[in-house]
């Protein structure tokens, strides 16, 4: 599944010996798997931290654990450690971690979802916002639901027209229109409130 070079194993063993915790190991998990935002996270772990769903690789002097849900994304992955003047660089290569970008043969729903997860949501996450797909009708109209900081936000129309719709139509040309189905009157934590904007004007 995953190949850990001897240099990487020696590096991990050095780090673990510095921790000085008997029986501790290394755990690897994938965050946001199957999207362009996917990344690998390494952490020290003790036996008590394990859930039982991990895959365990016996290394010389320690155990390397792979999060059970992450395992499928790490097929063909390699971990190596390259020494340099400042110490060294740990390299994790995981060719399948970002998943496959849906091709033109994939369904419209699958392609729209991919663009939302890969490009749109990472951008609006800084405002605590999130967009999810509700439906796509027969005419190619995409219906979206805004949540988080976008819920009740006075700038959501701008975000929808100039951000989300523009990106979606560039990536998925079959889309004819993008609509927001969110009821923005009840947003509990909007990033930008229309009322504040009006009172400032008046």
């Amino acid at each position: 599944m995953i190949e850990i070079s001897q240099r990487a194993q020696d590096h991990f063993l050095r780090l673990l010996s510095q921790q000085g915790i008997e029986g501790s190991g290394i755990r690897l998990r994938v965050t946001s798997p199957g999207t362009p935002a996917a990344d690998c996270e390494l952490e020290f772990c003790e036996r008590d931290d394990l859930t039982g769903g991990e895959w365990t690789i016996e290394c010389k002097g320690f155990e390397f654990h792979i999060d059970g849900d992450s395992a499928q994304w790490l097929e063909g992955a390699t971990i190596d450690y390259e020494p340099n003047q400042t110490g060294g660089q740990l390299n994790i290569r995981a060719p399948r971690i970002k998943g496959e970008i849906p091709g033109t043969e994939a369904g419209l729903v699958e392609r729209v979802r991919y663009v939302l997860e890969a490009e749109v949501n990472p951008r609006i996450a800084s405002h605590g916002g999130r967009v999810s797909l509700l439906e796509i009708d027969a005419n190619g109209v995409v219906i979206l639901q805004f949540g988080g900081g976008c819920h009740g936000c006075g700038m959501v129309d701008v975000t929808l027209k100039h951000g989300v719709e523009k990106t979606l139509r560039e990536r998925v040309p079959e889309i004819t229109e993008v609509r927001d189905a969110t009821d923005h009157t009840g947003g509990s934590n909007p990033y930008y409130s229309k009322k504040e904007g009006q009172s400032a004007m008046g």
Side-chain angles (χ1 to χ4, degrees):
M1 174 207 300
I2 188 168
E3 194 179 306
I4 308 170
S5 74
Q6 191 57 52
R7 291 189 304 189
Q9 290 186 41
D10 294 344
H11 174 64
F12 288 140
L13 195 54
R14 272 195 307 276
L15 293 174
L16 286 164
S17 65
Q18 288 165 11
Q19 292 290 305
I21 300 167
E22 187 66 37
S24 63
I26 303 279
R27 179 164 50 190
L28 171 66
R29 70 186 187 100
V30 178
T31 57
S32 305
T35 76
D39 205 358
C40 288
E41 273 186 7
L42 287 167
E43 61 187 5
F44 295 113
C45 69
E46 295 175 57
R47 289 204 175 94
D48 293 349
D49 299 331
L50 302 175
T51 63
E54 293 87 359
W55 294 72
T56 300
I57 298 169
E58 295 286 341
C59 298
K60 193 175 177 185
F62 70 97
E63 290 182 341
F64 188 92
H65 307 283
I66 295 165
D67 177 69
D69 292 337
S70 300
Q72 61 170 322
W73 303 98
L74 294 166
E75 201 63 50
T78 60
I79 301 179
D80 191 20
Y81 182 77
E82 294 169 18
N84 58 32
Q85 288 90 348
T86 56
Q89 174 73 42
L90 191 68
N91 291 320
I92 302 176
R93 290 189 174 82
R96 299 189 50 201
I97 190 176
K98 296 182 189 298
E100 298 294 319
I101 297 173
T104 48
E105 75 288 344
L108 204 54
V109 170
E110 194 185 337
R111 284 155 58 212
V112 167
R113 272 213 182 104
Y114 184 85
V115 174
L116 290 176
E117 290 302 326
E119 295 189 52
V120 174
N121 280 325
R123 278 187 214 152
I124 61 175
S126 60
H127 297 176
R130 181 166 176 76
V131 178
S132 50
L133 176 65
L134 290 183
E135 63 172 298
I136 302 175
D137 73 12
N139 300 318
V141 177
V142 173
I143 314 292
L144 300 175
Q145 175 94 37
F146 282 82
C150 291
H151 188 195
C153 176
M155 296 299 287
V156 79
D157 294 345
V158 176
T159 302
L160 179 71
K161 284 291 169 211
H162 297 288
V164 182
E165 181 165 10
K166 186 170 177 284
T167 302
L168 279 172
R169 291 183 73 166
E170 277 172 12
R171 302 286 181 272
V172 189
E174 299 96 308
I175 293 172
T176 56
E177 191 186 341
V178 178
R179 289 188 197 146
D180 174 15
T182 316
D183 173 8
H184 288 287
T185 55
S188 57
N189 188 24
Y191 184 71
Y192 174 91
S193 169
K194 270 186 178 162
K195 280 182 281 221
E196 289 169 16
Q198 286 169 346
S199 61
M201 301 289 284

